[in-house]
Amino acid sequence: MSLEALNARVKTDLSYLAYGGPNWVRPRSHADGHVYDVVIVGGGQSGLSIAFALLRERIANIVVIDENPEGYEGPWETYARMMTLRTPKHLTSVDLGIPSLTFRSWWEAQHGAEGWEAVDKIPRGDWMNYLRWYRSILDLPVVNEVKLNLIEPGEEGLHRLHIERAGAREEPLLARKVVLATGIQGGGEWHVPPMISAKLSPHLYAHTADRIDFGSLKGKRIAVLGGGASAFDNANFALAEGVSEAHVFVRRKELPRINPIRQMEVSGMIERYPSLADEEKYAVMAHFFKNNQPPTNDTFERAVSRPGFRLHLGAPWLDVEADGEGVTVTTPQGKHAFDFLIISTGLLTDPSFRPELRLVERHIARWGDRFAAPQELANPALDAHPYLSPGFAFTSRDEEGEKRLHGLFTFSYSALISFGVSASALSGMRCGVPKIASAVAEQLFLDDQDTILSRYFAYDDKEFVGEWPKAGEA
């Protein structure tokens, strides 16, 4: 099958599902401009698939905005530096159960069934190309290079989204519902230990989430702080780009060996996690946080086979200091001199870190507000996650916040404690995306239920036109 034939098959499959049926949501008007039923913030894999799911719900008055240029949404062509995805290739995600929309169908259309069998893990660049195709074949309403600065709750259940395009502020977008599909960092901020950020000039270090000019590091010695998968991805990438040495420092004496997601993928945990009680959810994620995602075996073997790779176990950084044009790092094993540091210490989740939420974050309920964790499990990092509704909506700490938060949903790492990996990993998206789309649709319906019901009870169009006895018969 060619890609052209697959495109035709997708169109046929969607027509069999009556995709693109009439929009049922009652339109709203406003003197300040067009009112969208839903604005999705983020045009990566989550935002695209949520848009598709809403269109399947016959909610068509939507738009997806993304701050990046077209084709560069999400991490895949910016700061992701792994060679392949870590998710097993057979797991489905953004296709939402339509076989012709799967990555496998897209791949086989170009490389055949034998080509699919030859794939071990999905190459990162090909995954991004697949997402570009997915957006195009579904004709999803995405507007690029639009950055959200602030969500301002307005009157009558509307939200004003203050945006800028190409650095210039524009008139706010009006939205009844807002879905923050903003990925890994969308629930908080990337974490750089204060010991580093307070003592070093920014030209001496970067977080793994930053865009790094590896060309300027050729022939130099770099250090990577962290023992997770991303640390090894960056060390590998740096060595491939020509750094002379890449040293990975891990505070643990042994690298993590267990990846809990692999067990979750086959045990029903991803699908049924939301049905757990709060105490069970908290315990599951406390365990999850203790088992940092290890590097894949192929990533590790690739790294250790490179002459310039060094691994330091049981080597937390005790101090860093600028030293001429470089940095001296102190560990329990002594001092080490480097030209540049790469920080792979993950992220912190807390709505207070998000500038777009600054008018409402004080109302957002956190897990620490709703659940008192037992002392042996209590973790401030878990407690700071928002406590979400069964449909990924923010819930409020107080009565004042209920109206201000109404219509605000999040589909990012901030949903981790409430929903497991449904919004945090490809392996969970097939469960989470239909759930949030259904929740948004239900809220739109209930907001308008008085009008919808009054029209239902007043409906009197006659459908049946039969007569008995028939005209002209005795």
Side-chain angles (χ1 to χ4, degrees), residues 142-275:
V142 184
V143 181
N144 286 91
E145 299 182 68
V146 175
K147 182 181 180 181
L148 172 65
N149 291 326
L150 181 68
I151 299 173
E152 178 188 0
E155 73 287 354
E156 300 175 355
L158 297 182
H159 296 278
R160 295 176 182 270
L161 275 60
H162 295 264
I163 60 173
E164 63 181 65
R165 194 193 307 256
R169 295 185 183 277
E170 297 197 352
E171 289 297 313
L173 297 176
L174 301 178
R176 296 182 62 186
K177 311 298 170 190
V178 180
V179 177
L180 298 173
T182 42
I184 297 177
Q185 76 275 23
E189 66 179 13
W190 296 107
H191 177 58
V192 175
M195 174 184 70
I196 297 168
S197 59
K199 297 188 68 174
L200 298 181
S201 170
H203 79 278
L204 292 173
Y205 70 91
H207 195 280
T208 53
D210 295 329
R211 301 193 182 197
I212 302 173
D213 180 11
F214 284 95
S216 66
L217 299 177
K218 286 185 178 180
K220 297 186 177 182
R221 301 177 78 245
I222 70 165
V224 183
L225 175 62
S230 182
F232 285 84
D233 291 336
N234 276 266
N236 256 323
F237 192 92
L239 288 165
E241 291 294 306
V243 304
S244 63
E245 294 182 16
H247 294 242
V248 173
F249 289 83
V250 185
R251 71 173 182 272
R252 304 183 193 209
K253 295 182 179 180
E254 183 178 348
L255 287 174
R257 297 186 178 276
I258 298 169
N259 185 350
I261 294 180
R262 296 291 89 88
Q263 195 276 342
M264 298 170 83
E265 288 167 347
V266 298
S267 66
M269 180 79 78
I270 290 177
E271 295 89 340
R272 302 294 167 237
Y273 177 94
S275 66

Side-chain angles (χ1 to χ4, degrees), residues 398-446:
D398 47 54
E399 186 176 349
E400 179 190 355
E402 290 179 3
K403 286 186 178 181
R404 294 172 66 82
L405 294 173
H406 184 74
L408 299 183
F409 298 78
T410 183
F411 196 83
S412 68
Y413 266 51
S414 62
L416 190 62
I417 316 303
S418 295
F419 285 95
V421 299
S422 291
S424 310
L426 273 174
S427 50
M429 290 182 65
R430 63 186 176 84
C431 306
V433 170
K435 188 183 294 291
I436 190 171
S438 178
V440 171
E442 184 172 287
Q443 196 176 98
L444 285 166
F445 178 84
L446 292 177

